[in-house]
Structure formats: structure tokens, C-alpha cells
Amino acid sequence: MEIPFLSFDNMHTRIKAEMCSAFEKVYDSHWYIMGNSLNTFEKNYASFCNTDYCCGVANGLDAIIISLKALNIGQGDEVIVPSNTYIATWLAVSYVGAKPIPVEPRADTYNIDPTLIERAITPATKAIIPVHLYGQACEMDQIMPIAQKHNLFVIEDNAQAQGARCKGQITGSFGNINATSFYPGKNLGALGDAGAITTNDKELYNKANVIRNYGSEKKYYNMIKGINSRLDEMQAAFLDVKLKYLNEWNRERNEIATYYNEGLKNVTDIILPVTANECTSVFHIYMIRTKRRDELQEFLRNKGIGSLIHYPVPPHMQEAYKEMDCKKGDFPIAEEIANTCLSLPLYPGLTHAQVDYITDMIASFFR
Ligand SMILES: *Cc1c(COP(=O)(O)O)cnc(C)c1O
């Protein structure tokens, strides 16, 4: 049986007619940047996140960069980031001239450990960027009070967790200003690059709007040195179609994850995903861990099963961050995750028969 790591077959076949009519509507409107489709999607995505405002941007990295710029974070500032994340979180901090300060994750949930945040705070600290990694909400009920106590901004990196919740509150609505990505493979994915910012703060929203469009509110009048990071009409129209299915697709992802857990519960050699108290996951990724990760990945590949490693090298060990002069063992939990993690196929349309095949193969590998 051939099972790719990710397939759009089921999702995109089902909505093809709606997507084509969204395309035609934008095509025939002859208006391709900053128009009605963007306005509509921004309104609908803000409503999905239960925030007052949404500002569409070109991608998830820009969403974090623009959020940092809107908060005036830059040279000389420190920003707390997880040691276990996709590198974009760190790159955004570096790009505005600030310094990423890594904090280790919990070894069970893989999200930033709230109990380790306070010791990383210095007089230069300006903000915390919790990343809701692999689809699971961070423990925002613990992180927000720490930020308040130390007068720090919070920017959620919600690229992987659209629709997840902590204590019933949806991700993307906790921080002062929050970033997300609609990279095609994300739970809500465009047909190209796209991203967004969500906030309840009108002033930050206005600033983000201006920064993404050349620092201009009124055409050809530039208040600040902004950038071009607009979400185009075509992607906004596609996203607006897919947004209607997001809750249903997230439920299906959860159902598949539960089915995996059931199928793998007797395989004692692997560690299964754990969700923190009061937090939910939208299972952007279903990740298991084993010391024999590379062998298992090779075995599955030979059985036709795709898998990926999220991520093989933590940011502090990347060549791009050689100036941090990190040694092996500086952030041991992030390193252990990188050395043992394996993400299995999980997407709407993945059948129980396919999951049965995958879990049977994993069980046979360890037998
Ligand atoms: C995908 C991702 C980003 C970046 O999004 P792009 O749209 O690819 O720029 C940022 N942070 C995390 C955690 C991501 O997974």
C-alpha cells in the first residue's frame, strides 16, 4: 500500500467546484490586490479566531515580523522563543534585529515549558512567542500571567494550530498580536503562500495594516518604511472557501489521531503524543518518538509509507545561528526530540484501513 505523508486528494477534490468558482469571481472582477475577497476573508478569519481584527499578509514569517515591528521590537531587545520550533519563529526575531532567547519545551507535550520562562527573562526582554507546535495549544493559562507580571508582550505563533484551544479559548486570540501561516500544508492552507495577523488591539491592527503595504495608509503617502507583504485576492478567496471546512477537517484529524493512539497503544517501544491539561490539539502533525527513528523511517519507506521529521536540527544547532555558539546538549530536550521524532501521515481523507496498515507495520518493525 502506498501512503504519502500528505495528500490533498480528498480535501481538494471535494471542494473543487467551489474553488473554481472562487477563482472565476476574482478573475472576472479584474481586481487582484487589496479588494473585497481580502476584506471578506479577514472578517471571517477574525471571527473564526474570536478576535476583533485580522490583517492578511503574504506568509507566516512576515506575519511574525510585522507583529514584532508593530510592537516596536528591534535592536537590543530580547524575545523568548521555544527551543523546539520551526526556525521561522527565530528568524523573524533576528530579522527585526532582536535576539531570540530559547526556552526548553515540556518533554511530554513538546510545547514551551511555562515553568522555565521566568528564569529566561532579563531587563532586555520585550516579548514571548509561544508556538502552538504540531497543532497543540500552549498552556496559555500559565503563560499570559507570566507576561503580565513582567510587562511583556505576547505574540502567538499559530501557524500550526488554527482552531486549537486552551481552557476553551481559541489560539490566535490570547496574545497582543498573533501570527499564522496558510502555507499549503497547514491545517488551513492556501494554494500558495499566505499568512495573517489577528488581534483585539485596534492600534496594533492599524500599524500592521500600514507596515504590510509599504508603510502607506493613503496611496503614495508613506508614514513609515514598510514592506510589501499583502495577501492577494486569489489566495484570500481560496482561503475563504477552505475556512468553512476547517472545523470539520480539524475534527477528522482528531478522530484519526485517536485511531492511531488506539492502534499503537500496545507498541511499548514508542512514545505517543500527549496533550496538556485543558489544552486541545488540531493535530497538524501526528508525531511519535523512538530511539530507532531512522531505522523505522527507512522500514516504513520500504513499505510505501511516507513520514517526515519535524525537525531534524533545532534552530540553536543550525549553521544560521552559529553566532550563538551552542554546543550539543545546551538544549537537551529540543535535541532529544529532533533525534527521536517521526511524523506519520495524517490528513482529512486518510482511512482507517490506511492507519491500520501503518500501525501494523510499526508493530511488526518492533516485533
Ligand atoms: C509554517 C510555519 C511558519 C512560517 O510560515 P510560512 O508561511 O512558511 O512563512 C512559522 N512558524 C511555524 C511554527 C510554522 O510551522
Side-chain angles (χ1 to χ4, degrees):
M1 206 186 287
E2 285 292 323
I3 308 174
F5 175 73
L6 173 62
S7 165
F8 293 111
D9 254 11
N10 176 280
M11 282 184 281
H12 284 187
T13 303
R14 177 175 166 201
I15 63 171
K16 187 166 176 182
E18 276 180 278
M19 293 293 265
C20 289
S21 90
F23 166 81
E24 269 194 28
K25 209 170 142 193
V26 174
Y27 191 82
D28 291 339
S29 78
H30 300 182
W31 190 275
Y32 306 114
I33 296 277
M34 303 283 262
N36 291 334
S37 300
L38 178 61
N39 286 337
T40 303
F41 174 68
E42 286 177 337
K43 231 174 249 128
N44 290 337
Y45 190 69
S47 156
F48 178 86
C49 291
N50 206 15
T51 56
D52 292 338
Y53 308 103
C54 166
C55 171
V57 297
N59 58 67
L61 175 64
D62 280 2
I64 312 173
I65 290 172
I66 293 168
S67 298
L68 288 160
K69 281 177 173 284
L71 293 167
N72 289 321
I73 292 169
Q75 204 74 47
D77 296 332
E78 292 180 357
V79 177
I80 291 174
V81 295
S83 56
N84 183 45
T85 182
Y86 179 56
I87 197 168
T89 319
W90 287 45
L91 289 176
V93 174
S94 301
Y95 183 81
V96 300
K99 191 175 171 204
I101 305 295
V103 167
E104 285 268 76
R106 273 176 54 162
D108 53 354
T109 67
Y110 314 130
N111 272 335
I112 193 166
D113 186 340
T115 66
L116 302 178
I117 291 175
E118 272 188 308
R119 70 187 68 163
I121 296 172
T122 74
T125 310
K126 286 284 157 26
I128 307 171
I129 309 185
V131 182
H132 308 298
L133 205 65
Y134 312 134
Q136 178 175 177
C138 291
E139 294 161 286
M140 298 308 291
D141 54 328
Q142 295 177 52
I143 296 170
M144 294 310 292
I146 297 167
Q148 264 140 30
K149 181 175 158 199
H150 296 273
N151 220 351
L152 305 176
F153 296 118
V154 171
I155 304 165
E156 289 169 72
D157 179 340
N158 196 30
Q160 301 192 358
Q162 295 117 356
R165 286 171 190 271
C166 173
K167 284 207 160 168
Q169 187 179 336
I170 195 161
T171 55
S173 71
F174 289 89
N176 301 80
I177 180 165
N178 309 304
T180 197
S181 161
F182 305 123
Y183 178 82
K186 301 289 157 89
N187 286 34
L188 178 57
L191 305 187
D193 274 316
I197 288 164
T198 50
T199 181
N200 288 316
D201 187 319
K202 187 164 192 193
E203 200 178 319
L204 290 176
Y205 165 71
N206 287 336
K207 271 174 126 172
N209 258 331
V210 166
I211 295 167
R212 76 163 171 192
N213 191 25
Y214 286 111
S216 156
E217 203 164 16
K218 191 173 154 204
K219 208 169 167 78
Y220 305 129
Y221 292 81
N222 302 75
M223 303 149 69
I224 53 169
K225 298 180 194 76
I227 59 175
N228 174 2
S229 182
R230 298 173 301 222
L231 172 57
D232 65 75
E233 288 288 286
M234 205 59 93
Q235 295 303 338
F238 293 145
L239 285 164
D240 206 45
V241 171
K242 292 182 84 176
L243 179 59
K244 288 189 291 218
Y245 296 89
L246 182 55
N247 281 329
E248 186 188 330
W249 283 336
N250 281 344
R251 269 195 300 278
E252 188 175 342
R253 285 173 179 274
N254 260 278
E255 194 273 323
I256 296 166
T258 305
Y259 196 70
Y260 261 121
N261 286 340
E262 196 54 36
L264 292 172
K265 69 171 190 246
N266 295 323
V267 184
T268 50
D269 310 76
I270 58 176
I271 299 168
L272 298 181
V274 169
T275 311
N277 268 343
E278 311 270 11
C279 292
T280 70
S281 176
V282 290
F283 287 95
H284 174 56
I285 277 164
Y286 184 87
M287 190 251 264
I288 60 170
R289 293 206 296 122
T290 165
K291 296 254 181 247
R292 297 173 62 195
R293 190 265 313 277
D294 293 344
E295 262 177 278
L296 175 61
Q297 185 174 36
E298 176 63 20
F299 177 84
L300 294 177
R301 187 181 301 123
N302 291 330
K303 303 289 177 194
I305 300 166
S307 64
L308 285 177
I309 295 167
H310 295 100
Y311 300 89
V313 182
H316 71 278
M317 300 295 281
Q318 295 279 0
E319 193 175 341
Y321 280 99
K322 58 180 181 287
E323 81 267 15
M324 286 183 61
D325 210 15
C326 281
K327 299 178 304 297
K328 216 171 144 188
D330 281 353
F331 295 94
I333 302 176
E335 291 165 34
E336 174 74 8
I337 294 167
N339 291 332
T340 56
C341 68
L342 190 67
S343 306
L344 302 177
L346 192 160
Y347 38 86
L350 189 73
T351 65
H352 281 190
Q354 288 174 310
V355 176
D356 285 340
Y357 176 69
I358 296 166
T359 54
D360 286 351
M361 287 304 129
I362 292 172
S364 79
F365 171 80
F366 285 105
R367 228 179 277 121

Short mmCIF file of all heavy atoms in Angstrom, two decimals, residues 58-64 85-90 131-134 157-160 179-184 186 192-195 284-285 311, ligand 1:
data_model
loop_
_atom_site.label_atom_id
_atom_site.label_comp_id
_atom_site.label_asym_id
_atom_site.label_seq_id
_atom_site.Cartn_x
_atom_site.Cartn_y
_atom_site.Cartn_z
N ALA A 58 1.52 38.18 3.40
CA ALA A 58 2.00 37.30 2.33
C ALA A 58 2.38 35.89 2.78
O ALA A 58 2.33 34.95 2.00
CB ALA A 58 3.19 37.95 1.62
N ASN A 59 2.77 35.72 4.04
CA ASN A 59 3.18 34.41 4.55
C ASN A 59 3.31 34.47 6.07
O ASN A 59 3.19 35.54 6.66
CB ASN A 59 4.50 33.95 3.90
CG ASN A 59 5.61 34.96 4.13
OD1 ASN A 59 6.05 35.17 5.26
ND2 ASN A 59 6.05 35.62 3.06
N GLY A 60 3.58 33.31 6.68
CA GLY A 60 3.64 33.24 8.13
C GLY A 60 4.85 33.93 8.73
O GLY A 60 4.76 34.54 9.80
N LEU A 61 5.99 33.83 8.04
CA LEU A 61 7.20 34.50 8.53
C LEU A 61 6.96 36.01 8.60
O LEU A 61 7.26 36.65 9.61
CB LEU A 61 8.39 34.18 7.62
CG LEU A 61 9.70 34.91 7.94
CD1 LEU A 61 10.24 34.52 9.31
CD2 LEU A 61 10.76 34.60 6.88
N ASP A 62 6.40 36.56 7.53
CA ASP A 62 6.10 38.00 7.53
C ASP A 62 5.10 38.36 8.63
O ASP A 62 5.18 39.44 9.22
CB ASP A 62 5.50 38.43 6.18
CG ASP A 62 6.57 38.65 5.11
OD1 ASP A 62 7.75 38.43 5.41
OD2 ASP A 62 6.20 39.03 3.99
N ALA A 63 4.15 37.47 8.90
CA ALA A 63 3.15 37.76 9.95
C ALA A 63 3.85 37.97 11.30
O ALA A 63 3.48 38.86 12.07
CB ALA A 63 2.13 36.62 10.03
N ILE A 64 4.87 37.16 11.58
CA ILE A 64 5.61 37.32 12.85
C ILE A 64 6.46 38.60 12.79
O ILE A 64 6.49 39.38 13.75
CB ILE A 64 6.51 36.10 13.16
CG1 ILE A 64 5.73 34.79 13.00
CG2 ILE A 64 7.07 36.20 14.59
CD1 ILE A 64 6.60 33.53 13.13
N THR A 85 11.04 24.44 17.76
CA THR A 85 10.08 25.07 16.85
C THR A 85 10.64 25.03 15.44
O THR A 85 11.82 24.72 15.23
CB THR A 85 9.80 26.53 17.24
OG1 THR A 85 8.82 27.08 16.34
CG2 THR A 85 11.05 27.40 17.18
N TYR A 86 9.77 25.34 14.47
CA TYR A 86 10.28 25.58 13.13
C TYR A 86 11.06 26.89 13.16
O TYR A 86 10.69 27.84 13.85
CB TYR A 86 9.11 25.66 12.13
CG TYR A 86 9.59 25.92 10.74
CD1 TYR A 86 10.51 25.07 10.13
CD2 TYR A 86 9.14 27.03 10.02
CE1 TYR A 86 10.97 25.32 8.86
CE2 TYR A 86 9.60 27.28 8.74
CZ TYR A 86 10.52 26.42 8.16
OH TYR A 86 10.98 26.67 6.90
N ILE A 87 12.15 26.96 12.42
CA ILE A 87 13.10 28.07 12.53
C ILE A 87 12.50 29.45 12.23
O ILE A 87 13.03 30.47 12.66
CB ILE A 87 14.36 27.80 11.65
CG1 ILE A 87 15.52 28.71 12.08
CG2 ILE A 87 14.01 27.94 10.18
CD1 ILE A 87 16.86 28.33 11.49
N ALA A 88 11.36 29.49 11.53
CA ALA A 88 10.74 30.78 11.18
C ALA A 88 10.51 31.65 12.41
O ALA A 88 10.69 32.87 12.35
CB ALA A 88 9.40 30.54 10.46
N THR A 89 10.13 31.04 13.53
CA THR A 89 9.87 31.80 14.75
C THR A 89 11.12 32.59 15.15
O THR A 89 11.04 33.77 15.49
CB THR A 89 9.50 30.83 15.90
OG1 THR A 89 8.63 29.80 15.41
CG2 THR A 89 8.84 31.57 17.05
N TRP A 90 12.26 31.94 15.10
CA TRP A 90 13.53 32.58 15.47
C TRP A 90 13.95 33.60 14.41
O TRP A 90 14.42 34.69 14.73
CB TRP A 90 14.64 31.53 15.55
CG TRP A 90 14.62 30.62 16.72
CD1 TRP A 90 13.54 29.96 17.25
CD2 TRP A 90 15.75 30.24 17.50
NE1 TRP A 90 13.95 29.19 18.30
CE2 TRP A 90 15.30 29.33 18.48
CE3 TRP A 90 17.12 30.56 17.45
CZ2 TRP A 90 16.15 28.76 19.41
CZ3 TRP A 90 17.97 29.98 18.38
CH2 TRP A 90 17.49 29.10 19.35
N VAL A 131 4.73 29.02 20.62
CA VAL A 131 4.39 28.38 19.35
C VAL A 131 3.50 27.17 19.65
O VAL A 131 3.90 26.29 20.40
CB VAL A 131 5.66 27.91 18.61
CG1 VAL A 131 5.30 27.27 17.27
CG2 VAL A 131 6.64 29.06 18.42
N HIS A 132 2.32 27.16 19.09
CA HIS A 132 1.40 26.03 19.30
C HIS A 132 1.81 24.92 18.35
O HIS A 132 1.25 24.78 17.26
CB HIS A 132 -0.05 26.46 19.06
CG HIS A 132 -0.44 27.69 19.81
ND1 HIS A 132 -0.45 27.75 21.19
CD2 HIS A 132 -0.83 28.93 19.39
CE1 HIS A 132 -0.84 28.96 21.58
NE2 HIS A 132 -1.07 29.69 20.50
N LEU A 133 2.83 24.16 18.77
CA LEU A 133 3.51 23.27 17.83
C LEU A 133 2.75 21.97 17.58
O LEU A 133 2.14 21.41 18.49
CB LEU A 133 4.92 22.97 18.36
CG LEU A 133 5.94 22.58 17.29
CD1 LEU A 133 6.21 23.74 16.34
CD2 LEU A 133 7.24 22.13 17.93
N TYR A 134 2.84 21.49 16.37
CA TYR A 134 2.22 20.24 15.90
C TYR A 134 0.69 20.29 16.02
O TYR A 134 0.02 19.26 15.92
CB TYR A 134 2.75 19.02 16.67
CG TYR A 134 4.26 18.97 16.79
CD1 TYR A 134 4.89 18.68 18.00
CD2 TYR A 134 5.07 19.21 15.69
CE1 TYR A 134 6.28 18.63 18.11
CE2 TYR A 134 6.45 19.17 15.79
CZ TYR A 134 7.05 18.88 17.01
OH TYR A 134 8.42 18.84 17.11
N ASP A 157 2.60 32.27 17.84
CA ASP A 157 2.87 31.71 16.52
C ASP A 157 1.87 30.57 16.33
O ASP A 157 2.05 29.47 16.85
CB ASP A 157 4.32 31.21 16.44
CG ASP A 157 4.65 30.59 15.08
OD1 ASP A 157 3.70 30.21 14.35
OD2 ASP A 157 5.85 30.47 14.76
N ASN A 158 0.80 30.90 15.60
CA ASN A 158 -0.32 29.97 15.45
C ASN A 158 -0.32 29.30 14.07
O ASN A 158 -1.36 28.90 13.57
CB ASN A 158 -1.63 30.73 15.69
CG ASN A 158 -2.80 29.79 15.94
OD1 ASN A 158 -2.62 28.70 16.47
ND2 ASN A 158 -3.99 30.21 15.55
N ALA A 159 0.87 29.20 13.47
CA ALA A 159 0.96 28.65 12.11
C ALA A 159 0.44 27.21 12.02
O ALA A 159 -0.07 26.80 10.99
CB ALA A 159 2.40 28.71 11.62
N GLN A 160 0.60 26.44 13.12
CA GLN A 160 0.28 25.01 13.04
C GLN A 160 -1.02 24.65 13.76
O GLN A 160 -1.35 23.47 13.83
CB GLN A 160 1.44 24.19 13.63
CG GLN A 160 2.76 24.43 12.89
CD GLN A 160 3.83 23.42 13.25
OE1 GLN A 160 3.63 22.55 14.08
NE2 GLN A 160 4.99 23.55 12.62
N ALA A 179 0.30 35.67 14.99
CA ALA A 179 0.66 35.39 13.61
C ALA A 179 0.23 33.99 13.23
O ALA A 179 0.24 33.07 14.06
CB ALA A 179 2.17 35.50 13.45
N THR A 180 -0.14 33.82 11.96
CA THR A 180 -0.40 32.47 11.46
C THR A 180 0.06 32.36 10.02
O THR A 180 0.34 33.35 9.36
CB THR A 180 -1.89 32.07 11.61
OG1 THR A 180 -2.00 30.66 11.49
CG2 THR A 180 -2.77 32.74 10.57
N SER A 181 0.16 31.11 9.56
CA SER A 181 0.60 30.83 8.19
C SER A 181 -0.47 30.00 7.49
O SER A 181 -1.06 29.10 8.09
CB SER A 181 1.91 30.04 8.22
OG SER A 181 2.12 29.39 6.97
N PHE A 182 -0.69 30.29 6.22
CA PHE A 182 -1.57 29.47 5.39
C PHE A 182 -0.78 28.79 4.28
O PHE A 182 -1.28 28.59 3.17
CB PHE A 182 -2.70 30.33 4.79
CG PHE A 182 -3.50 31.10 5.82
CD1 PHE A 182 -3.61 32.49 5.74
CD2 PHE A 182 -4.15 30.45 6.87
CE1 PHE A 182 -4.34 33.21 6.67
CE2 PHE A 182 -4.87 31.16 7.81
CZ PHE A 182 -4.98 32.54 7.72
N TYR A 183 0.47 28.45 4.58
CA TYR A 183 1.27 27.59 3.70
C TYR A 183 0.39 26.39 3.33
O TYR A 183 -0.38 25.92 4.17
CB TYR A 183 2.53 27.19 4.48
CG TYR A 183 3.47 26.26 3.78
CD1 TYR A 183 4.40 26.76 2.87
CD2 TYR A 183 3.46 24.90 4.04
CE1 TYR A 183 5.28 25.89 2.23
CE2 TYR A 183 4.33 24.03 3.40
CZ TYR A 183 5.24 24.53 2.49
OH TYR A 183 6.10 23.68 1.87
N PRO A 184 0.48 25.88 2.09
CA PRO A 184 -0.49 24.86 1.66
C PRO A 184 -0.70 23.69 2.63
O PRO A 184 -1.82 23.21 2.80
CB PRO A 184 0.09 24.39 0.32
CG PRO A 184 0.85 25.56 -0.20
CD PRO A 184 1.40 26.28 1.02
N LYS A 186 -0.51 23.61 5.87
CA LYS A 186 -1.04 23.92 7.21
C LYS A 186 -2.51 23.49 7.30
O LYS A 186 -3.16 23.24 6.28
CB LYS A 186 -0.88 25.43 7.51
CG LYS A 186 0.58 25.92 7.45
CD LYS A 186 1.41 25.42 8.62
CE LYS A 186 2.89 25.40 8.32
NZ LYS A 186 3.64 26.60 8.60
N GLY A 192 -0.80 28.43 -2.30
CA GLY A 192 0.44 29.17 -2.48
C GLY A 192 0.80 29.72 -1.12
O GLY A 192 0.32 29.21 -0.10
N ASP A 193 1.60 30.79 -1.10
CA ASP A 193 1.97 31.39 0.19
C ASP A 193 0.91 32.36 0.67
O ASP A 193 0.32 33.10 -0.13
CB ASP A 193 3.30 32.13 0.06
CG ASP A 193 4.50 31.22 0.26
OD1 ASP A 193 4.45 30.39 1.21
OD2 ASP A 193 5.47 31.32 -0.50
N ALA A 194 0.68 32.36 1.99
CA ALA A 194 -0.25 33.31 2.59
C ALA A 194 -0.09 33.25 4.11
O ALA A 194 0.43 32.27 4.65
CB ALA A 194 -1.69 33.00 2.21
N GLY A 195 -0.52 34.30 4.78
CA GLY A 195 -0.46 34.33 6.24
C GLY A 195 -1.40 35.40 6.77
O GLY A 195 -2.05 36.10 5.98
N HIS A 284 -2.02 19.13 13.57
CA HIS A 284 -1.34 19.48 12.32
C HIS A 284 -0.41 18.33 11.96
O HIS A 284 -0.26 17.97 10.79
CB HIS A 284 -0.56 20.78 12.52
CG HIS A 284 0.28 21.14 11.35
ND1 HIS A 284 -0.25 21.28 10.08
CD2 HIS A 284 1.61 21.36 11.22
CE1 HIS A 284 0.74 21.57 9.24
NE2 HIS A 284 1.85 21.61 9.90
N ILE A 285 0.19 17.77 13.01
CA ILE A 285 1.14 16.67 12.83
C ILE A 285 0.88 15.60 13.87
O ILE A 285 0.57 15.92 15.02
CB ILE A 285 2.58 17.24 12.96
CG1 ILE A 285 3.01 17.85 11.62
CG2 ILE A 285 3.58 16.19 13.42
CD1 ILE A 285 4.20 18.74 11.73
N TYR A 311 11.62 18.57 13.83
CA TYR A 311 12.52 18.91 12.74
C TYR A 311 13.85 18.25 13.02
O TYR A 311 14.19 18.06 14.19
CB TYR A 311 12.63 20.44 12.64
CG TYR A 311 11.25 21.05 12.37
CD1 TYR A 311 10.42 21.42 13.41
CD2 TYR A 311 10.80 21.18 11.07
CE1 TYR A 311 9.16 21.94 13.16
CE2 TYR A 311 9.53 21.71 10.81
CZ TYR A 311 8.71 22.08 11.86
OH TYR A 311 7.46 22.56 11.62
C1 LIG B 1 4.97 27.28 8.73
C2 LIG B 1 5.44 27.96 9.95
C3 LIG B 1 5.85 29.31 9.95
C4 LIG B 1 6.11 30.10 8.71
O1 LIG B 1 5.10 30.16 7.81
P1 LIG B 1 5.42 30.47 6.25
O2 LIG B 1 4.07 30.77 5.72
O3 LIG B 1 6.06 29.26 5.68
O4 LIG B 1 6.31 31.67 6.20
C5 LIG B 1 6.14 29.89 11.17
N1 LIG B 1 6.09 29.21 12.31
C6 LIG B 1 5.73 27.91 12.35
C7 LIG B 1 5.67 27.21 13.66
C8 LIG B 1 5.40 27.25 11.18
O5 LIG B 1 5.07 25.95 11.22
#
